[in-house]
Amino acid sequence: MGEKARRRNFSASFVDLDEDGDLDLVLTSDFSGTDIFTNDGQGHFTDRTDTLHPRGYAFGMSHTFGDYNLDGKLDFLTIGMSSTTARRLDHLQIGRDDFPEYNQARAQMGYGNRMYLQDATGFSQAAFNQSVARTGWSWGSTTFDFDNDSDPDLYIVNGQTSGKTTKDYCTRFWCHDLYYKKGEIPVKAVRELFTAFQPLFRGDSISWNGFEHNALEMNLGGKDFVNVAYLMGVASELDCRAALSGDLDGDGRVDLVFENADVRNERSRVFLFRNEWQSDNHWIGVHLDTNQATRPLGAVVRVHLPDGRELVQHNTTGHSVWAQHANTIHFGLGTSDRVESIQIRWANGKTSRMETPQVDQYHVANE
């Protein structure tokens, strides 16, 4: 990994991106964005970050996986904090002439989230990426089908530091403080700047991307996303960090858990939102057995439907930030009331198969 081993990594996942039977590595780092390393099956990894199109730097906090365009291939969303100030400065073409490298990097660093869809050449940014790009100062992210309509939705939690006023440090950062250290590469200088100015936020007189709302991005049949957080009652404006999804009460509707970080008082709270969405859609779930020699991490679960569709999910680590999802895979089925089969490929290459499993319930799967 060379110099990349020293990056400020926030999320790391072992996941079989290229479906060749071994686990690859996805890393998302603050100031740098996302890197991917493919596994040759012998434990040797090759940097394939150049297969991301476009390759953009970002204030990377987390990533999450799903088949977002419903083509049977694994895609991912990488979080990058978006900045309205940075976008305005770029649009106006305003910047310090003596910091050309900062001006060049600003558009990438302040762009926001990027959804990468897998194709024959690697991963390309989704045509509808603007719909999910600008969620704010984003942290944790999770993929789940909240309405059981068979396409994966997203929940992204946001907010850095909310003070007692809406006076925001973001403008001062991009217009003034960013330029405090001449002659350094942008990533290194910004990292040092964040450390140097932390005491500024111990008081209450200023916010930094405060009072931002969480986003529930509903998938529109693999063609686009729309934020329905307000409608669904989960648009909290607390400063949030970790985010998880899981069917905590076992009723077939996936619930949400997120962490509120009180930065000034150095404490946190955990909030649970119970999913009470009313729908006639069906679902099916798989509890991956942890009481066996083969570990469930790395397992790939595929659901085959009578109409020929195939739904796929990977059981992996690190999709969110500072959190871990349960070893349970949940699929919304839409109006389909029958499943042809469920196939599980375990990390050791062995496979398990369930024929015509009952819908609207969970099944235990082991090797």
Side-chain angles (χ1 to χ4, degrees):
M1 295 175 61
E3 64 180 16
K4 291 185 177 181
R6 301 179 62 84
R7 286 182 170 175
R8 189 178 180 183
N9 177 256
F10 272 71
S11 298
S13 297
F14 284 105
V15 58
D16 189 1
L17 284 177
D18 50 14
E19 293 281 355
D20 65 352
D22 51 46
L23 297 180
D24 310 303
L25 178 62
V26 179
L27 299 174
T28 296
S29 304
D30 201 1
F31 310 106
S32 302
T34 296
D35 294 286
I36 59 176
F37 300 84
T38 56
N39 189 348
D40 66 357
Q42 303 298 317
H44 299 99
F45 290 83
T46 302
D47 189 344
R48 296 301 307 277
T49 307
D50 58 356
T51 63
L52 298 179
H53 309 290
R55 167 70 175 104
Y57 290 108
F59 297 115
M61 296 292 108
S62 70
H63 52 248
T64 184
F65 301 96
D67 179 14
Y68 300 118
N69 61 347
L70 309 179
D71 66 351
K73 299 177 182 178
L74 189 67
D75 313 309
F76 68 91
L77 176 81
T78 182
I79 294 300
M81 299 169 180
S82 59
S83 169
T84 54
T85 302
R87 290 197 298 272
R88 286 198 300 269
L89 293 172
D90 268 356
H91 179 74
L92 296 171
Q93 298 183 346
I94 297 174
R96 288 270 296 269
D97 292 338
D98 53 338
F99 284 79
E101 66 277 19
Y102 284 31
N103 299 332
Q104 184 177 4
R106 185 174 58 199
Q108 294 186 49
M109 296 296 289
Y111 173 78
N113 312 322
R114 297 182 188 273
M115 178 174 284
Y116 289 106
L117 306 179
Q118 190 166 180
D119 55 31
T121 62
F123 292 87
S124 297
Q125 187 168 292
F128 50 80
N129 196 82
Q130 290 291 342
S131 298
V132 296
R134 299 174 181 175
T135 50
W137 189 306
S138 301
W139 292 84
S141 56
T142 185
T143 298
F144 71 121
D145 189 355
F146 84 89
D147 51 1
N148 283 332
D149 66 348
S150 78
D151 53 30
D153 310 302
L154 294 160
Y155 191 61
I156 303 168
V157 298
N158 307 293
Q160 167 60 7
T161 306
S162 299
K164 291 184 178 179
T165 75
T166 56
K167 182 179 179 181
D168 203 315
Y169 174 70
C170 186
T171 299
R172 172 175 160 178
F173 170 80
W174 288 102
C175 294
H176 181 270
D177 289 353
L178 175 63
Y179 302 105
Y180 91 113
K181 198 160 189 177
K182 187 173 177 58
E184 295 281 4
I185 59 174
V187 170
K188 181 179 179 181
V190 171
R191 183 185 297 117
E192 293 182 7
L193 175 65
F194 278 6
T195 301
F197 283 85
Q198 282 302 312
L200 178 66
F201 306 102
R202 297 304 177 190
D204 290 328
S205 61
I206 193 171
S207 297
W208 193 356
N209 284 75
F211 311 102
E212 292 187 333
H213 295 90
N214 295 344
L216 174 57
E217 299 284 353
M218 184 172 69
N219 193 329
L220 303 178
K223 304 297 183 182
D224 205 350
F225 283 80
V226 61
N227 185 5
V228 296
Y230 285 103
L231 297 176
M232 297 296 103
V234 291
S236 170
E237 69 174 21
L238 296 171
D239 299 328
C240 297
R241 297 298 181 266
L244 292 169
S245 56
D247 185 4
L248 301 181
D249 54 7
D251 67 351
R253 295 174 292 189
V254 183
D255 310 302
L256 287 171
V257 178
F258 66 80
E259 174 201 15
N260 160 230
D262 185 344
V263 176
R264 288 188 170 86
N265 297 307
E266 298 183 347
R267 64 186 182 186
S268 64
R269 297 176 295 172
V270 175
F271 287 80
L272 163 64
F273 280 80
R274 185 172 184 264
N275 187 346
E276 297 183 345
W277 177 258
Q278 298 298 315
S279 170
D280 293 328
N281 288 335
H282 297 282
W283 60 275
I284 199 166
V286 178
H287 294 304
L288 299 173
D289 190 359
T290 58
N291 298 312
Q292 58 177 356
T294 301
R295 297 292 87 190
L297 292 175
V300 181
V301 183
R302 295 182 182 275
V303 170
H304 302 277
L305 300 178
D307 60 6
R309 285 184 298 153
E310 181 181 88
L311 309 179
V312 59
Q313 291 190 44
H314 291 231
N315 189 42
T316 185
T317 60
H319 52 135
S320 192
V321 62
W322 305 327
Q324 175 59 41
H325 286 78
N327 295 305
T328 296
I329 307 297
H330 173 279
F331 293 91
L333 301 177
T335 58
S336 180
D337 60 0
R338 185 173 182 272
V339 166
E340 292 286 351
S341 65
I342 298 177
Q343 179 179 303
I344 301 108
R345 191 192 73 204
W346 303 91
N348 64 1
K350 296 183 179 180
T351 61
S352 303
R353 191 176 182 89
M354 302 179 189
E355 299 293 344
T356 60
Q358 183 66 42
V359 303
D360 298 331
Q361 70 179 55
Y362 287 97
H363 303 267
V364 177
N366 53 53
E367 181 188 318

